[in-house]
Amino acid sequence: MIRSGLIGRSIQASRSPWLHEQEARAQGFELDYALYDFDALDLADADLGAFVDDLRKEETAGFNVTYPFKQAVIEHLDALAPSAAAVGAVNTVAIRDGRMTGHNTDMTGFRSSVADGLPGADFDCVLQLGAGGAGAAVAAALIDLGTRRLEICDVDPARAEALAQRLQARAAGRVVVRDPGDHSTADVTGIVNATPVGMLANPGIPIDPRHLSAAIWVADIVYFPRDTALLTAARERGCRTLDGSGMVVRQAAEAFQIITGAPSCLERMLANLDDER
């Protein structure tokens, strides 16, 4: 039996247990994937270090990390893989011989999801909402996809500035910070929601729909629900849209391999996500 799980807040609706356990069963072994929900467990953010250390001691093979711990977990790990070091955030941790190594599969998951789901999309100017752990991965992916101008907007301007500075080494002059109150889209060709706004536990819409037009494509990393308020509003205005299901399965497929050491089948995991709905 391989033990794994997900650390985060308000994650009871997560599809990760189903995706990981079904893939393990298809390969002929058992995997126990637990939800370590800090809200349900009544734990404070400050408890993260001790909780992670307990997982190290309990012979857990590894775990995934989601909001709001993708950056906070770094200080509690022994090493970072190149993917996590490049992004500055961790969503997957492998535990081997008592050592914990952080990885990031969000970046490649989002990049491939956009490439497959929005072929021919215009990356001239992209407005990204959110600069947290997931936002760091999304921003790196957008630069890789050829975004000529990436405008980052976050409720915490200092966090947006820190992300922009981290990206300058690979995208000098292509990344700017937006004022959190400025959602104008006159020159924008695409919008990505990398905030938790729109999740089942955090309903809402991160931008006034009046700023959306058919000339703009819209992607949301939220996958539960798939039809977020943002995507519904965007489709009503004729926008091309992309939900978060492709990203979540692609990052999960890579994370499965990192944690278990077994190869994963992306097509099967994509089908399993649909089967559970």
Side-chain angles (χ1 to χ4, degrees):
M1 170 73 75
I2 294 177
R3 296 184 60 198
S4 181
L6 173 66
I7 294 177
R9 289 195 178 279
S10 300
I11 55 174
Q12 293 304 306
S14 172
R15 299 295 197 261
S16 292
W18 171 265
L19 284 172
H20 285 252
E21 291 175 358
Q22 286 298 106
E23 181 60 19
R25 266 188 211 104
Q27 297 193 33
F29 65 91
E30 289 297 312
L31 183 149
D32 179 22
Y33 192 102
L35 292 177
Y36 306 119
D37 189 331
F38 271 43
D39 285 339
L41 295 170
D42 197 25
L43 294 175
D45 287 3
D47 295 321
L48 179 63
F51 193 88
V52 164
D53 200 45
D54 284 343
L55 293 181
R56 182 205 308 262
K57 297 171 184 176
E58 293 171 2
E59 299 184 355
T60 303
F63 53 90
N64 289 125
V65 185
T66 190
Y67 177 83
F69 301 124
K70 291 184 178 184
Q71 292 167 321
V73 75
I74 291 175
E75 66 178 287
H76 305 295
L77 306 179
D78 300 298
L80 293 181
S83 60
V87 172
V90 166
N91 79 315
T92 303
V93 176
I95 305 177
R96 300 290 185 270
D97 299 320
R99 284 180 56 80
M100 296 191 294
T101 301
H103 300 254
N104 191 292
T105 68
D106 281 336
M107 192 270 280
T108 53
F110 180 76
R111 186 179 63 200
S112 61
S113 177
V114 170
D116 291 344
L118 290 171
D122 186 346
F123 293 96
D124 186 63
C125 180
V126 179
L127 171 60
Q128 176 177 312
L129 307 173
V138 166
L142 287 168
I143 294 300
D144 282 356
L145 286 164
T147 299
R148 294 179 59 190
R149 179 180 174 87
L150 177 60
E151 302 186 357
I152 301 174
C153 183
D154 193 276
V155 292
D156 181 352
R159 183 165 61 180
E161 186 61 46
L163 176 55
Q165 289 299 317
R166 192 159 62 245
L167 291 167
Q168 287 305 324
R170 61 191 298 186
R174 294 161 61 191
V175 183
V176 299
V177 174
R178 278 270 199 117
D179 182 278
D182 180 10
H183 286 175
S184 60
T185 56
D187 299 318
V188 170
T189 57
I191 297 173
V192 181
N193 177 37
T195 78
V197 177
M199 294 172 58
L200 195 65
N202 191 17
I205 189 165
I207 187 171
D208 190 324
R210 290 177 296 179
H211 293 297
L212 303 176
S213 72
I216 302 171
W217 56 264
V218 179
D220 202 328
I221 69 167
V222 173
Y223 74 95
F224 189 76
R226 289 196 195 185
D227 291 326
T228 61
L230 172 62
L231 295 185
T232 298
R235 282 194 295 271
E236 289 174 352
R237 286 157 180 78
C239 304
R240 294 178 66 193
T241 63
L242 180 70
D243 66 50
S245 61
M247 175 184 175
V248 75
V249 177
R250 285 168 172 80
Q251 66 80 18
E254 188 177 350
F256 179 91
Q257 296 183 59
I258 292 169
I259 293 171
T260 68
S264 60
C265 176
L266 176 59
E267 292 74 18
R268 182 166 56 217
M269 293 183 76
L270 284 165
N272 281 338
L273 183 68
D274 287 331
D275 286 346
E276 197 213 11
R277 292 182 74 192

